[in-house]
Amino acid sequence: MIAYLVVREGNKWRDVYRLTPGQVMTVGRAATNRIILHDEVCSRNHCEILQSGSTWILRDLGSRNGTLVNGVRVEGDVPLEPGQLIQIGTCDLAFTFDLSQAFPQIEEKSGLDTETGTHVEGDAAATVGDNEPEIIHRRRKTRFAGRIESESRERHQQELAVLYRLAMEMGAARGSQQLADVVLNGLLEGTSSDIGALLLLPRATPPSDEPGPLTAVAYKANGDLQYQHVSRSLSNVVLKDREAVLARDVADDSRLVSRDSLGRIQAKSVICAPIRMDNLIYGLIHLYSTNPEKLLEEDDLEFTLAVADQAAVALDNLRRQEALAEGLAKVRDENLKLREQIGIESDLVGTSRFIQSLNNTIARVAPTDAAVLIRGESGVGKELVARAIHFSSKRRNSPFVCMNCAALTESLLESELFGHEKGSFTGATGRKIGKFEQAHRGTLFLDEVGEMSLAIQSKFLRVLEGHPFERVGGSTPIQVDVRVVAATNRNLESAVEAGAFRKDLYFRLHVVEIQVEPLREHPTDIPILAEHFLARLASKSGRAVRGYAPSAMEKLAAYDWPGNVRELQNTVERAVILCSGELIGASEITLSELGLPDAQRPVVSTGTSSVPDLSLDELEQRHILAVLDRTQWNKSQAAQILGIERSTLDRKLKRYGVERPGL
């Protein structure tokens, strides 16, 4: 059977609670209880009612003043019988299976829904006792959404004009506070209320979720009247049923106005309307009148619900805008941090005359849109120079896009540079935006531009000359604004003479040339670079390495660095990983034989001389093969030891015509 608890405080029966099998009904002063009693005699967690089998049990929770059942103090678990009164201070809780027999005051007319414990409308209006208030109207849908009878058309049109004005003002609101002010000003002008508030939930809540706490965003009052928060009971009814309610005679009713407000206001009528859209509820509008001669009417309820519905649309738009703004701000912040990090890592470190001259050249070239050709050996830091040019230019807030022209085949390089349309070739499952489009209004850095095929050079040249291009498989012309910075370690002049590189493209790229010297040409920067890489790599890897032993620094300074700055960075990173103490020792510095001084380089015996009778290419080939043999032809590991890129190693092996033995 369905069991109920009916709560009486003083001489008024005020609430009905349905007991749910499997759930514990807690009673006490604390706000976490399901039944909250405002009596100092009541403990914060006083007692609980739960079902055991087919019997409902009362359990005192060690309360200070005890729990009485029909005047007898109980201990432990006590079975409850219908008609018994649980007494806690001045509060009585009647236990019953039949509401009509719970107490004589509501035998004739019960306005309580026995399924939900909430008030209903119409002939069964809520009257718990002769002096209790009535919820006289409920509305789920406003009449403004339907057809209007002819006799009320004139008033309806006037109200629609007011609603239209309010809707325009709501749409122009720039925040929840401003929206709330517009809503309350309109309601106090358009209804009989003299106090109102707009209360919001932490988030839009569907019916399946428990709503969070309500927060009063704004309130308005005529004169010196003070707003008192809507009671939990009334707000729960409206939040649960998603219906607006109008109630009367609420001066002494704890269901409709917070008990803390009793004696300070004399509310004669109350409207509480949900701010809802689709299946979500955002909060409540709470209005009440303290004037017995100017009570809130059904028309006020209709108007309030219409305003609440419009406010929900405006609030949803505001929250969407705020979410987009927050997301954009987050992306901008992340982008700024990334740019700062890139800027830090792109610093050209050193104090030598060469570095000073390089920085001066970059400072002169960067503000222009001139194409730049950066030349130098592999590993000298050509990309760092390109980044420094970009981040010192007026394009610094636009993309910096890198592309290695030697890493891809001709067809893939064309797709990467210019993009492709879906189905343009096998594997093209969707549209791809090319590097040129990605770099729009920014800088496109083309590394190893000398490796580009003649066919790609022709299309590339047209884009550099300002002509639009088309994606692979597409027919739509695309115009971009891109500054091109190219880099190469090849002799482009020889490639032009051999017909492997277009002369017109060479002159288009060769507007400004920057020559980046190898590290061996400015050895005074080696200790500075080594310290720079150590600090950054130790921080990134979390290692407690703080410096170099003198012998280690001497070893670094004496090395020739054929792999240039990249080889130095790789060497320092390897040393940081292998270091077991706070200082990197000489034994933890692993160097390639290519850069060792002659006195330290192993001698290759020819039978007639201690000096190897080999060309530089032959010596390089032997060393690369020796490193590959030592790493069992692990090309990635060998490239790291050699201080070169994996793609560079592949090209060298191809040039030598060397393949792994046994393949």
Side-chain angles (χ1 to χ4, degrees):
M1 297 178 65
I2 300 175
Y4 301 92
L5 282 178
V6 185
V7 181
R8 181 176 68 184
E9 287 185 308
N11 61 354
K12 288 181 177 288
W13 297 98
R14 69 171 178 87
D15 284 317
V16 175
Y17 294 90
R18 179 179 177 180
L19 298 175
T20 304
Q23 292 186 359
V24 177
M25 180 69 72
T26 56
V27 182
R29 280 191 301 110
T32 54
N33 291 288
R34 298 190 63 193
I35 300 178
I36 303 172
L37 301 181
H38 304 281
D39 191 324
E40 290 301 321
V41 174
C42 179
S43 298
R44 289 183 57 81
N45 298 292
H46 197 96
C47 66
E48 61 186 18
I49 295 97
L50 65 155
Q51 190 178 40
S52 176
S54 60
T55 304
W56 285 94
I57 300 295
L58 169 67
R59 177 182 297 161
D60 185 84
L61 298 176
S63 61
R64 183 177 67 253
N65 296 303
T67 305
L68 306 181
V69 175
N70 288 348
V72 179
R73 183 163 180 164
V74 299
E75 295 181 1
D77 293 351
V78 177
L80 292 174
E81 298 292 338
Q84 287 183 327
L85 283 179
I86 304 168
Q87 298 163 299
I88 303 172
T90 60
C91 300
D92 292 338
L93 292 82
F95 177 77
T96 184
F97 292 123
D98 186 353
L99 283 176
S100 65
Q101 299 178 8
F103 34 82
Q105 290 92 330
I106 62 168
E107 282 183 359
E108 297 179 359
K109 188 178 182 182
S110 173
L112 295 172
D113 183 340
T114 57
E115 288 298 314
T116 64
T118 60
H119 292 282
V120 296
E121 66 174 315
D123 294 336
T127 56
V128 185
D130 294 337
N131 298 321
E132 289 295 328
E134 295 178 284
I135 294 182
I136 59 176
H137 291 292
R138 286 176 179 261
R139 286 292 181 272
R140 181 175 295 273
K141 186 176 181 181
T142 176
R143 67 167 182 258
F144 294 98
R147 297 183 59 183
I148 303 300
E149 300 298 331
S150 59
E151 58 268 19
S152 59
R153 190 178 303 277
E154 182 178 351
R155 175 174 177 173
H156 178 70
Q157 289 176 344
Q158 293 174 351
E159 291 173 330
L160 278 178
V162 176
L163 286 173
Y164 175 77
R165 175 179 60 82
L166 285 175
M168 296 294 289
E169 292 177 2
M170 289 183 208
R174 298 302 180 189
S176 300
Q177 182 66 53
Q178 188 177 353
L179 174 64
D181 291 339
V182 170
V183 170
L184 294 178
N185 287 335
L187 287 173
L188 291 185
E189 292 175 7
T191 67
S192 300
S193 60
D194 47 21
I195 305 177
L198 189 145
L199 305 98
L200 294 181
L201 296 167
R203 61 181 181 86
T205 306
S208 58
D209 291 356
E210 189 72 21
L214 287 163
T215 301
V217 177
Y219 74 88
K220 296 284 183 180
N222 294 328
D224 297 329
L225 297 173
Q226 296 295 317
Y227 170 70
Q228 301 298 330
H229 201 287
V230 61
S231 74
R232 179 182 298 181
S233 298
L234 183 60
S235 63
N236 285 344
V237 168
V238 177
L239 290 173
K240 179 179 179 182
D241 297 340
R242 261 62 169 178
E243 292 181 334
V245 299
L246 168 62
R248 292 278 177 82
D249 300 326
V250 298
D252 296 322
D253 181 37
S254 63
R255 289 181 60 85
L256 303 182
V257 181
S258 171
R259 289 179 59 83
D260 293 339
S261 68
L262 299 182
R264 291 198 289 270
I265 65 167
Q266 294 294 319
K268 299 302 180 182
S269 53
V270 169
I271 287 176
C272 192
I275 303 172
R276 75 219 165 157
M277 190 179 77
D278 298 329
N279 211 23
L280 300 175
I281 188 164
Y282 294 84
L284 301 176
I285 290 175
H286 183 212
L287 304 175
Y288 55 84
S289 170
T290 61
N291 188 349
E293 298 179 358
K294 195 178 179 182
L295 298 176
L296 293 166
E297 303 289 348
E298 183 178 359
D299 288 335
D300 296 321
L301 181 66
E302 293 276 6
F303 184 77
T304 302
L305 186 56
V307 173
D309 287 345
Q310 185 60 45
V313 176
L315 185 62
D316 182 71
N317 289 334
L318 274 177
R319 291 194 171 179
R320 289 176 185 271
Q321 292 172 12
E322 289 170 358
L324 288 173
E326 289 176 3
L328 182 59
K330 182 179 179 181
V331 169
R332 284 176 175 170
D333 185 55
E334 291 175 351
N335 191 25
L336 179 61
K337 290 180 179 178
L338 181 60
R339 289 183 183 280
E340 289 175 352
Q341 182 179 358
I342 290 173
I344 291 171
E345 294 189 357
S346 297
D347 286 343
L348 296 172
V349 178
T351 59
S352 65
R353 183 178 301 176
F354 161 70
I355 294 296
Q356 293 176 9
S357 174
L358 183 60
N359 284 326
N360 291 336
T361 302
I362 291 172
R364 292 195 301 271
V365 171
T368 71
D369 274 340
V372 179
L373 180 63
I374 305 172
R375 311 183 80 158
E377 296 179 5
S378 178
V380 293
K382 296 188 288 294
E383 183 177 340
L384 293 183
V385 175
R387 287 185 184 274
I389 292 172
H390 172 75
F391 287 109
S392 300
S393 73
K394 61 186 178 182
R395 298 174 180 264
R396 67 177 66 88
N397 294 323
S398 298
F400 176 79
V401 180
C402 297
M403 178 73 201
N404 189 322
C405 299
L408 301 170
T409 62
E410 179 179 323
S411 59
L412 288 178
L413 178 59
E414 183 180 14
S415 172
E416 284 293 319
L417 280 175
F418 306 109
H420 64 251
E421 298 290 347
K422 181 179 179 180
S424 57
F425 55 85
T426 302
T429 56
R431 171 182 288 181
K432 178 181 177 63
I433 302 300
K435 300 295 186 184
F436 266 110
E437 287 182 80
Q438 294 175 30
H440 183 53
R441 294 195 176 94
T443 303
L444 175 62
F445 172 61
L446 297 175
D447 196 11
E448 301 190 62
V449 69
E451 305 297 329
M452 192 182 294
S453 68
L454 288 171
I456 303 299
Q457 290 177 33
S458 177
K459 190 172 182 179
F460 177 50
L461 177 62
R462 284 188 56 80
V463 180
L464 288 184
E465 291 174 340
H467 296 287
F469 64 91
E470 299 171 355
R471 300 189 189 100
V472 177
S475 58
T476 304
I478 300 168
Q479 188 79 45
V480 293
D481 172 21
V482 173
R483 180 183 192 174
V484 173
V485 177
T488 184
N489 58 7
R490 288 187 60 184
N491 188 325
L492 289 185
E493 291 78 11
S494 299
V496 170
E497 292 177 1
F501 199 83
R502 293 178 62 106
K503 181 183 293 186
D504 46 4
L505 177 58
Y506 168 79
F507 287 116
R508 174 65 64 175
L509 293 174
H510 197 257
V511 177
V512 176
E513 178 180 312
I514 296 179
Q515 182 72 40
V516 184
E517 299 294 337
L519 184 56
R520 60 182 174 274
E521 299 296 333
H522 50 107
T524 57
D525 291 326
I526 293 175
I528 300 173
L529 284 166
E531 294 287 357
H532 171 74
F533 291 140
L534 173 62
R536 195 177 73 194
L537 294 169
S539 174
K540 186 179 295 186
S541 63
R543 303 299 299 274
V545 183
R546 59 181 179 85
Y548 299 88
S551 58
M553 187 60 75
E554 290 174 4
K555 187 174 181 179
L556 292 175
Y559 186 63
D560 204 33
W561 300 109
N564 293 295
V565 178
R566 183 187 294 121
E567 184 185 5
L568 175 59
Q569 180 177 347
N570 292 341
T571 300
V572 173
E573 182 174 9
R574 187 162 53 244
V576 168
I577 294 172
L578 298 176
C579 182
S580 57
E582 293 186 349
L583 296 178
I584 295 176
S587 61
E588 292 157 333
I589 302 292
T590 304
L591 301 173
S592 168
E593 295 176 358
L594 286 177
L596 293 175
D598 292 341
Q600 300 178 27
R601 188 174 301 174
V603 176
V604 180
S605 175
T606 62
T608 59
S609 172
S610 61
V611 179
D613 189 14
L614 298 171
S615 68
L616 185 59
D617 281 348
E618 290 174 322
L619 185 61
E620 180 185 67
Q621 178 179 344
R622 287 193 179 188
H623 178 67
I624 289 174
L625 292 177
V627 173
L628 284 169
D629 288 339
R630 193 171 66 193
T631 60
Q632 297 180 342
W633 278 76
N634 184 324
K635 292 183 179 180
S636 297
Q637 186 178 351
Q640 184 178 10
I641 294 173
L642 293 168
I644 60 177
E645 296 289 341
R646 164 69 183 268
S647 58
T648 303
L649 176 60
D650 287 332
R651 287 199 310 276
K652 290 181 180 294
L653 293 176
K654 185 177 180 180
R655 190 171 74 229
Y656 300 149
V658 175
E659 294 183 356
R660 183 173 182 176
L663 294 181

